[in-house]
Amino acid sequence: MLIVIAALAPVFILIVLGAILRRSLMRLETQWHGLERLTYYVLFPILLIQTLVKADLAKVPVAGGGGALFLSALVMSLLCLALRPLLVRLAIDGPAFTSIFQGATRWQTYVALAVSGNLYGDTGLALASVAMVAIIPLVNVFSVAVLVRYASPEKKSAGTIVMTVVKNPLIWACAIGLVINVLHLPLPKLWHEVADALGRSSLAIGLLVTGAGLHLEGLFRPNAGAAIGVFLKLILMPVLGIAMALWFGLTGSNLVIVAACSAIPASSSAYVLARQMGGDASLLAQIITLQTILAAITMPVAIALVS
């Protein structure tokens, strides 16, 4: 348990530092917006490419790890849709439902990679990166489709939904890294030096941005929607992820990484998507903030259970 806490501590310290900096030294929204775009479009994709390029995929259970997380995300998505009639009875409208859906299914990639790397180094990073290949397209398609159906004031075509997913830089980074790895394409030493330097900075900056994006307003007055979003992501999702991993026969570090990725709080990018497409952004901000804080307790428990 102490080893798990030691691996998670730097992650949450950086998140807290980001929240402090947002309210003291760097108060301008534009400063964090620039860092977020730099991380999302440049630093983080390079980290993914480099991680997958260097990964020994023969030692990574691609089908098992990716399959377990893919199926758990799929089951959670379908469960949320099945709960829609019940949530209506609780006076949760369409936009609020989309926020619960995103809060239950999206995951914070910066935290996932940081935790996986702290736990198992390059092997952990490789497995988490493979998991992203499986999860990111699925949750993006579902999230956009749900927002279009239940929140967006303007109905969007299937082509628009597909293009939203296709333009995701993280999906392209995963695809590029896998292609280079599988085809054994040679890369110059200069690429590795630059990519390693940028990759190391991406996780730290990404965690700071995550902390800066936390919304503490109304934190101590969570409503039913926020409580449901927290329960689904921090309690039920790890149960699903671990169950699927065991079903695939995963053990040891592979099982731990699946448990860690399943217990990750929702991504702050979901908040941006909610603002753009008519979701209940304030509710989603509350869900993400509560999840990020409570994950400091639930993640060590989930990981310790399978360690």
Side-chain angles (χ1 to χ4, degrees), residues 140-217:
N140 273 273
V141 169
F142 266 105
S143 294
V144 173
V146 166
L147 280 160
V148 168
R149 172 65 177 84
Y150 294 103
S152 180
E154 298 181 3
K155 301 303 179 185
K156 301 184 184 299
S157 65
T160 301
I161 296 176
V162 171
M163 287 305 299
T164 301
V165 177
V166 168
K167 291 188 294 185
N168 189 309
L170 304 185
I171 294 176
W172 281 103
C174 291
I176 292 170
L178 285 175
V179 168
I180 294 174
N181 185 305
V182 172
L183 297 180
H184 302 290
L185 299 178
L187 293 175
K189 180 181 178 181
L190 179 61
W191 158 265
H192 291 290
E193 292 176 348
V194 173
D196 286 339
L198 292 176
R200 285 191 297 270
S201 66
S202 70
L203 290 179
I205 295 176
L207 292 173
L208 290 175
V209 170
T210 298
L214 297 182
H215 292 254
L216 302 179
E217 303 81 5

Side-chain angles (χ1 to χ4, degrees), residues 231-243:
F231 171 79
L232 291 175
K233 190 68 182 72
L234 297 188
I235 306 298
L236 187 56
M237 181 63 92
V239 171
L240 289 174
I242 293 172

Side-chain angles (χ1 to χ4, degrees), residues 51 88 103 111 116 125-126 186 188 190 206 214 241 248 290:
T51 298
V88 170
V111 177
S116 300
L125 282 173
L190 179 61
L214 297 182
F248 274 96
L290 285 168

